Every structure is written in C-alpha cells, then in structure tokens.
Amino acid sequence: MRDMAKVPAKESTKAVAKGALIRAAVLTAMAGATLASVHMARAADPAPTQVIQVAASEATSRFVPLGIGKSVAIDLPADIKDVLVADPTVANAVVRSSRRVYMIGVKIGQTNIFFFDANGKQIAGFDIAVTRDLNGVRAALKQSMPDANIRIEGVNDGVMLSGSAASAAESQQAFDLASRLVGDAAKVVNGISVRGRDQVMLKVTVAEVRRDVIKQLGIDLSGSFNYGSSVVNLNTQNPFSANGQTLSNSSLAGTMKGVTATLKAMDRAGVLRTLAEPNLTAISGETASFVAGGEFPIPNGLSCDTTKSPPVCQAQVDFKKFGVSLVFTPIVLSEGRISLKVMTEVSDLSTDNAMTLSVSGSDTSLTVPSISTRRVETTVEIPSGGSLALAGMIQEKTKAQINGTPGLMQLPILGALFKSRDYVNNQTELVVIVTPYTVHAVAQKQLSRPDDGFADPNDPSAALLGRLNRIYGSAGKTEQQPASGYHGKYGFILD
C-alpha cells in the first residue's frame, strides 16, 4: 500500500486507461470470433422447412351406408378426444363412452365423420352415405323371387339394382317391383345382368284353301228377217260383267232364216292350296321376320320423249313384296311359358281391281295387278310345345249378274235368247297354327338338309328308267332295293 501511495497520480490514471483498452480489444476480438462462427454455422446448416401433414381425409375413411333414422354402433381401438362431423344435418355422431360411438342417419345425403385421440392423431374416419330405407324392398324382392340373386342399394335419393337374373322377364319384374315401392321409376337404375337369354323357335303352319266357281251362259243374236214390208235387224251382245270377261272364245253358233244365234256357255271351278311352314328362332325379347314370296313392280312415274314418233316412254317403278310373311317377338316369362306377339300375312297377286295405265298418243300401256291379302296379328301366352290355331278366317264372295235386252229378256221362254247370266262364287279359308319351343343350340351333325342323299342319276338310269335322281339302298351300295324290313317309299321324293 505504501508503494502504491508513492506512485504519482498521473501515472496511475494512464495505467488504468491502458488496461481498459486492452480489455475492450479482447472483448471485441471474442465477439467477432463468435459472430464469424455463427455466420459459418448458418452458411453450413440452412434453416429447416416446415412439413404440412394431412391429419384426416377420405382416403383413410371407410364407407358406411345408413338409412334415414337408422343407426350403427362403432367400437374404436383408442380413447376418443375429439369428433369432427362435416355436415351434422345429414348424419350425427353420439359418443357413448371413450371408445364407443353411435352414428345416426338424419336425411338423404353424404358426409364425413372423423375421430381423434388426445394427441390429435386420427383414430378412424367414416364416409357416411344416408339413403332411403330399402329393407322393405329387399324383403319384397326376396319373397317374390327367392331364386334370383338380386341386390338393391341406395345412391343419394335413387336406387340401383345389381346382381343376376335367370331371364329378361325376371329382371323386368324386379325393376317394376322396385319402381312401384320406391314410387318413381326414374329413380331406379336396372343394372341386373341376365345369366342366359332363352331362345325361342317358332314353328308356324299357314294353310289356305281357295275355291272359285264361275258360270257363264248367254246368247248373242245377229242378222235380219222380213216381216211383210218391214225389215228387223238384230244385233245383241250381252256381256258378262260380274266376272269382267268371257272365260273362253269358244262358242256354238247356228243360223236360221238369216238370223245367227251364238251360244256362249262356260263353267269353271278351281281350287287353290297355299301351304307354308316357316321355322324361326329368336332370342327372348328380340324380333324375327320371315318372307317367302316375291316382288312385283309398281310404276312410280312415267317419262316419255314426244319428239320421236312413236313416243318412247320409260317407266320408273318400285317393288312391292307379296307372299307369306311372318314376324314374331317372344318373351320367356318363366320356365316353359312364353308371351308371343305374332303377325303373319298371306298375299298374292290378283287381277281383281287391276289398274291399266296408258299414254296418250302412244301404244304403251302398263297393267298394275292388285294384291289379295290375309293378315293375322295377335299377342298370346302359351307354354313351350303348345300349339295355337288361328282359325275361323273364312271368306265367301258371290256375284251374280244378268244382262240383256229390256222387255225381251223378261219373256218366259224366249227371254233366254236375249240375255246372259254371269255367276261368280269365291270361297277361301285360312288357318294359322303357331307352336313355340324354347330351344338350345345343337351340333351340326344333328341337323339335316333337304338335299341330303340327293345325287344326279347316270345317263342310262335317266334315259331308260326316267329317273331324276339316284336311288340308294344299303350303305355303300347304289341302285339296289332297300332291305326287306323297310316298307314304304324311298329315295328323293318329288311330287
């Protein structure tokens, strides 16, 4: 202490200031080193970025369908801390205990419900679809079609049918039942697949017999005779207007005292038989058609070149079908029962009401025949293999007409010389027999053709025996008689 007291005051102040400067320099150097190390650390290790995570989404949700006013109980694997209901007006969640929750459907719609634990992690998520209650419809479908595999699910306010049915009729029955119970067919979607569509073969026999009777009797007089100073000329021609024409040009004529009498008499009877047996196969619900006949031209226009002499005319024609036609639509209702819509038609050309077209100033003429048509159309329900006869289609037409000279034709006996009688009677009857079968495809070897076994004869057989085809006996042998155990005609049958 004494030594320090002896030091002058000016020197002591300088020493203190010098020590302060040394400490400040040391602190500045240390601070600079610290800042440099911080900057180096920041340059070496950049700041970490924040990661966004999805805590709950539809990807981790389970689909749960609910009916209006229906509920489902769910047991969760962890304690529930938080519940999120996206739309409480559609569905609601009631937590009964820490791990049991009740979800209740309120109205038609869709919403999500998520459950979280105490750490905020998702325990479970549910995608709720609230639809109309379909348990009654399911019970009705099961009761009415116990063998069908048909499912019904609700989509919003609509209904979708799925599964498989044995036939199209069964699928349609399920659709009709669901539409009636739901109340609106537009809200029902039919997605039922048909396991195997039945095929129906229709065998139709069309038989028609037509009988025509025409009788014509008339006398034409021509010539003159004298009565005193008077001369009477006779020239009577009595037409046959009922038939429209004379059946034959043959006549019997005789002359007496300058008067020639020509007797025209003809009696004709004809029978027409029409038989067709078309067989058609169609899938249940589809339409099949068949036509056996031909087409005849109908003029659609006529153009003539009048600059030439005689004028050259060219007709434009359309074609009209005629013959035997068949159109049918089968629907298999159940095993062995078929709803059948049939339309069959028999038409042929006729000279009745025929139309002849001629061109003025030209010798060209066209004759358009008429068509006589018999048509039957009906819808029936019939078992497979059963036959239905559409009969009673009988038509009879009688025309009789007498032409002659007025006054003279009424004479008791001599009146026959001045008149002609024309009588026409047409009778026809048509019968259609329909037989449907439910069929399946078969192998080709089980089918036969009309030309099976037909072969052209050799020259000696055709020239000497007059055969049109070769006759076969036992297998591998030709031109032999059949075995003695067979009785009846053999070979290719020709009418």
Side-chain angles (χ1 to χ4, degrees):
M1 294 293 294
R2 289 191 299 271
D3 293 339
M4 292 181 63
K6 293 180 178 179
V7 176
K10 185 177 181 180
E11 293 181 354
S12 176
T13 303
K14 292 181 177 179
V16 172
K18 185 178 180 180
L21 290 174
I22 293 173
R23 286 195 299 272
V26 172
L27 291 175
T28 303
M30 293 177 62
T34 303
L35 291 174
S37 63
V38 170
H39 285 296
M40 291 179 62
R42 287 180 179 179
D45 297 330
T49 58
Q50 296 181 355
V51 179
I52 300 175
Q53 297 181 351
V54 178
S57 65
E58 295 181 357
T60 58
S61 300
R62 291 184 56 184
F63 177 74
V64 177
L66 283 177
I68 299 177
K70 299 293 183 178
S71 62
V72 60
I74 302 295
D75 289 332
L76 300 177
D79 293 342
I80 304 170
K81 181 63 177 178
D82 191 11
V83 180
L84 173 62
V85 180
D87 190 353
T89 62
V90 175
N92 198 5
V94 177
V95 179
R96 184 64 178 175
S97 64
S98 60
R99 294 195 177 187
R100 170 163 290 187
V101 62
Y102 301 144
M103 293 185 294
I104 304 171
V106 179
K107 71 174 184 179
I108 295 177
Q110 293 184 352
T111 186
N112 292 334
I113 299 179
F114 297 100
F115 300 94
F116 303 92
D117 59 7
N119 297 325
K121 294 183 178 180
Q122 178 183 351
I123 301 175
F126 299 95
D127 188 6
I128 308 299
V130 180
T131 61
R132 62 177 73 239
D133 188 13
L134 300 175
N135 290 332
V137 183
R138 291 190 182 95
L141 289 175
K142 188 65 177 178
Q143 183 178 1
S144 60
M145 292 174 288
D147 298 332
N149 183 20
I150 298 176
R151 298 182 298 274
I152 180 170
E153 300 294 338
V155 180
N156 290 334
D157 61 341
V159 173
M160 181 173 181
L161 298 174
S162 61
S164 61
S167 62
E170 194 174 75
S171 174
Q172 185 64 31
Q173 182 182 357
F175 176 78
D176 295 339
L177 180 60
S179 301
R180 180 65 61 86
L181 296 179
V182 170
D184 188 359
K187 295 183 179 181
V188 180
V189 179
N190 190 358
I192 302 174
S193 61
V194 180
R195 291 193 295 269
R197 302 186 67 181
D198 295 322
Q199 297 186 89
V200 178
M201 184 189 74
L202 188 67
K203 180 179 180 181
V204 179
T205 301
V206 180
E208 181 186 18
V209 176
R210 180 176 179 179
R211 178 175 178 267
D212 297 333
V213 176
I214 300 177
K215 296 180 181 181
Q216 294 179 346
L217 177 62
I219 297 176
D220 295 338
L221 299 178
S222 63
S224 61
F225 64 92
N226 299 327
Y227 184 76
S229 60
S230 300
V231 179
V232 179
N233 295 321
L234 296 177
N235 188 8
T236 61
Q237 292 182 355
N238 301 317
F240 299 103
S241 55
N243 187 46
Q245 60 182 353
T246 304
L247 295 179
S248 177
N249 293 327
S250 62
S251 59
L252 180 62
T255 303
M256 184 179 62
K257 293 183 179 181
V259 178
T260 301
T262 303
L263 176 63
K264 295 183 295 184
M266 183 61 64
D267 190 350
R268 184 175 72 180
V271 175
L272 175 64
R273 175 176 177 262
T274 302
L275 178 63
E277 293 184 337
N279 293 340
L280 286 179
T281 302
I283 298 176
S284 176
E286 302 295 334
T287 301
S289 61
F290 166 86
V291 176
E295 297 181 351
F296 71 95
I298 297 178
N300 191 23
L302 189 65
S303 60
C304 297
D305 186 2
T306 58
T307 60
K308 298 181 180 180
S309 180
V312 178
C313 298
Q314 184 177 4
Q316 300 175 357
V317 298
D318 293 335
F319 290 90
K320 176 69 175 179
K321 295 181 180 180
F322 69 95
V324 179
S325 65
L326 170 66
V327 178
F328 82 103
T329 304
I331 298 177
V332 179
L333 301 178
S334 60
E335 188 66 27
R337 299 203 63 83
I338 302 171
S339 175
L340 194 64
K341 182 179 181 180
V342 184
M343 195 282 288
T344 182
E345 178 181 307
V346 180
S347 59
D348 52 10
L349 301 180
S350 175
T351 58
D352 296 339
N353 301 322
M355 181 175 57
T356 302
L357 302 178
S358 60
V359 180
S360 178
S362 175
D363 296 335
T364 304
S365 63
L366 296 174
T367 300
V368 181
S370 62
I371 298 181
S372 177
T373 304
R374 281 79 66 201
R375 183 183 296 110
V376 178
E377 183 174 359
T378 184
T379 301
V380 296
E381 182 178 339
I382 189 172
S384 176
S387 296
L388 173 67
L390 307 177
M393 291 171 284
I394 301 175
Q395 181 182 5
E396 182 174 0
K397 181 173 61 176
T398 302
K399 294 190 298 182
Q401 196 162 2
I402 297 177
N403 298 315
T405 305
L408 298 178
M409 60 182 295
Q410 278 81 24
L411 296 176
I413 298 175
L414 298 178
L417 301 175
F418 303 96
K419 66 182 178 180
S420 64
R421 177 178 178 266
D422 195 5
Y423 173 80
V424 178
N425 180 259
N426 298 325
Q427 296 176 345
T428 179
E429 181 178 2
L430 176 65
V431 175
V432 180
I433 301 176
V434 179
T435 305
Y437 299 92
T438 54
V439 295
H440 303 280
V442 297
Q444 184 179 3
K445 63 181 180 180
Q446 297 179 348
L447 303 176
S448 60
R449 304 182 314 185
D451 61 341
D452 289 343
F454 176 82
D456 294 329
N458 51 31
D459 292 341
S461 179
L464 300 179
L465 301 179
R467 291 177 178 171
L468 298 177
N469 60 282
R470 189 175 299 178
I471 299 177
Y472 291 88
S474 58
K477 297 181 181 180
T478 60
E479 300 294 335
Q480 291 185 0
Q481 298 295 330
S484 59
Y486 178 80
H487 299 281
K489 296 181 180 180
Y490 58 92
F492 194 84
I493 300 175
L494 295 176
D495 291 337

